[in-house]
Amino acid sequence: MKFTFLFTLLFFNFLYASADITPTPVKVKGIVPRYPVNIQMVSEKVVVDLFKDSSIVTCTFNMKNFGNSKEIEIGFPMMSFYNWRDNTADVKDKFDVWVNGKLINKVNIYIPEELKKDVNEDITAINSRLSLAENENKPWYLWKTKFAKNESVQIIVKYSLPSGVTKLKNYFNYLLSTGAGWKGKIIQADVIVNLKDIPADQLIKISPTGYIKTDKQISWTFKNLEPTTNDDILIDYELVKGGYQKRLAESIANAPTYYVDDLLVDSLSDLDPKTIANVLVLNDVVSRKGIVQIFTKPFVHKKFLEKINALSPEIFSQLAKENEEDLKLNYVLVVNDEITAQSDFWRKISELNKRVILTLEIMMINNKKSIIIKEKS
């Protein structure tokens, strides 16, 4: 467990530093129907007052029901939950909904049970569970709206939330892509971001393209939109002029040296975490920077078979028939009379590759083929 946590921390910290993202983002989505509906979001207007440390957002959605009279439950992600400590009253005050000009007094807060396990745990643990599922595992504001047959309905949502923060920068994110949950296309979507205390020269990145920018405002207009993630709004900015470049330089200077399968690499962006067998964290006494050695399952598997072949060609011919997944599935690994947990299978083999094996045999234990190894102490 310690190994898994340590690797996750190191690996993802590197990725987020180099790729300029964070594992705890503040992403704002539009309204989402909880179940498929025959209702179109005809138009959408999002007006954002963006400050360095927060934003105030007003969304106007014009909806059209193309079916029979229906009452549906509509949801909006409760992004302030990222700072939740079992005090939903303060959070709820920051979120209001109007339907056809009438304030909705009954807005429920849905929090999945798995997120209530321990409100005193640190925010990293909470965010880890928040990332398990895109919608189902997130907390939501939920309210009911009745649509008469062929009725047009206007929904206005207003809320405030803190800015998204990484080690390098701050950002604002609005996900137009969730509008795809409604029927058909969005005929027109307008997004207007008013820069309140952010100078234009402190903007780092703006996406998607096609925006109009002045010193005080950034705006987009979309026509006949079938929204995808390519349409999601992202504005990166720095709090202090030059701060981003300074932090980026420090991040690069302090980054550890990475080796993957004994090869020095500049980036881990192409490395699939699912392929990792083992990670070793060492200290470089010369540079005083960390060294991270990562070994992948294909590499460990190949080296293990080479080692087995040198010890017993007969056993090698048997094990070589198995690919890496089947080897773990079909064999139990027993080292020095201790059964290796399946979750530790590849890590243990990676360690065996660097040690002296005294004896090696294959036998049945509890009706399971087992690789029995004794190594030099």
Side-chain angles (χ1 to χ4, degrees):
M1 182 65 72
K2 185 181 291 185
F3 153 79
T4 303
F5 173 78
L6 179 60
F7 167 69
T8 301
L9 183 65
L10 287 168
F11 179 64
F12 283 99
N13 274 352
F14 174 83
L15 286 186
Y16 294 132
S18 62
D20 248 3
I21 57 178
T22 175
T24 56
V26 177
K27 293 184 177 180
V28 183
K29 302 181 182 183
I31 57 174
V32 179
R34 200 165 187 192
Y35 304 103
V37 294
N38 198 26
I39 300 170
Q40 181 183 16
M41 184 185 292
V42 178
S43 66
E44 172 181 7
K45 184 175 182 179
V46 180
V47 178
V48 182
D49 287 340
L50 182 60
F51 300 86
K52 287 182 177 180
D53 62 353
S54 61
S55 60
I56 300 172
V57 184
T58 303
C59 307
T60 303
F61 305 98
N62 292 305
M63 318 298 293
K64 172 70 175 179
N65 180 22
F66 287 90
N68 294 323
S69 177
K70 189 172 186 179
E71 185 176 62
I72 67 169
E73 194 167 44
I74 298 175
F76 193 96
M78 194 174 114
M79 301 316 300
S80 295
F81 185 90
Y82 286 84
N83 296 315
W84 182 66
R85 282 296 181 271
D86 200 26
N87 186 357
T88 55
D90 291 341
V91 175
K92 192 171 181 178
D93 290 340
K94 301 176 184 177
F95 183 88
D96 290 303
V97 183
W98 292 263
V99 176
N100 287 338
K102 183 178 179 180
L103 179 66
I104 300 298
N105 293 318
K106 190 175 181 180
V107 177
N108 297 316
I109 293 178
Y110 166 73
I111 301 170
E113 288 300 319
E114 55 267 38
L115 297 182
K116 299 180 182 178
K117 290 181 178 178
D118 185 357
V119 297
N120 295 315
E121 68 184 329
D122 65 63
I123 200 66
T124 302
I126 291 176
N127 282 315
S128 176
R129 291 206 304 279
L130 280 169
S131 65
L132 292 177
E134 184 61 22
N135 290 330
E136 292 80 4
N137 203 47
K138 296 263 193 304
W140 289 82
Y141 292 107
L142 294 174
W143 68 93
K144 291 183 178 180
T145 299
K146 182 174 285 188
F147 290 81
K149 184 177 181 179
N150 298 322
E151 182 186 19
S152 294
V153 172
Q154 185 180 80
I155 299 174
I156 297 176
V157 172
K158 185 174 182 179
Y159 58 90
S160 62
L161 76 167
S163 63
V165 179
T166 76
K167 292 180 179 179
L168 302 181
K169 57 182 174 54
N170 285 37
Y171 66 90
F172 172 80
N173 201 191
Y174 187 90
L175 307 187
L176 284 170
S177 56
T178 55
W182 299 93
K183 173 184 173 67
K185 297 180 180 180
I186 303 174
I187 305 303
Q188 180 165 325
D190 297 291
V191 180
I192 300 168
V193 180
N194 299 311
L195 303 174
K196 290 301 187 178
D197 60 354
I198 304 173
D201 63 356
Q202 288 178 215
L203 298 172
I204 300 168
K205 179 183 177 182
I206 304 171
S207 63
T209 58
Y211 55 85
I212 297 174
K213 184 172 81 71
T214 66
D215 286 345
K216 295 294 183 181
Q217 190 179 87
I218 308 166
S219 62
W220 290 260
T221 296
F222 303 88
K223 300 282 188 179
N224 296 314
L225 180 64
E226 291 185 278
T228 70
T229 54
N230 292 329
D231 303 305
D232 290 342
I233 305 299
L234 175 64
I235 300 174
D236 291 335
Y237 57 95
E238 56 186 358
L239 296 180
V240 178
K241 180 64 178 173
Y244 172 74
Q245 291 297 333
K246 180 181 178 181
R247 291 183 180 182
L248 181 60
E250 290 173 349
S251 177
I252 294 172
N254 295 325
T257 302
Y258 288 86
Y259 291 86
V260 176
D261 296 338
D262 292 335
L263 296 176
L264 179 65
V265 296
D266 296 325
S267 171
L268 298 178
S269 58
D270 294 330
L271 181 62
D272 182 354
K274 294 178 182 178
T275 68
I276 294 170
N278 197 10
V279 177
L280 299 177
V281 181
L282 309 171
N283 289 322
D284 186 336
V285 295
V286 177
S287 66
R288 295 186 179 180
K289 291 168 53 175
I291 296 177
V292 179
Q293 293 182 330
I294 301 171
F295 299 98
T296 65
K297 294 174 186 176
F299 178 82
V300 169
H301 183 223
K302 179 182 176 182
K303 292 295 183 182
F304 182 62
L305 289 179
E306 291 174 357
K307 195 177 191 75
I308 295 300
N309 191 28
L311 292 168
S312 171
E314 182 180 353
I315 293 179
F316 165 80
S317 64
Q318 182 175 343
L319 297 182
K321 297 175 184 177
E322 311 277 359
N323 61 34
E324 34 193 91
E325 291 304 318
D326 288 340
L327 184 65
K328 178 182 175 182
L329 181 65
N330 297 331
Y331 287 85
V332 172
L333 181 63
V334 181
V335 179
N336 297 332
D337 299 322
E338 291 187 8
I339 297 175
T340 301
Q342 285 295 87
S343 59
D344 265 353
F345 186 89
W346 288 111
R347 180 183 67 83
K348 194 67 175 179
I349 287 183
S350 174
E351 294 172 353
L352 287 170
N353 286 341
K354 297 190 174 184
R355 296 176 182 169
V356 177
I357 296 178
L358 296 178
T359 62
L360 168 69
E361 59 184 322
I362 293 179
M363 64 172 58
M364 298 296 293
I365 298 180
N366 296 328
N367 296 319
K368 188 77 173 180
K369 289 183 288 187
S370 302
I371 304 170
I372 312 296
I373 290 175
K374 289 196 175 180
E375 59 180 350
K376 186 176 181 180
S377 59

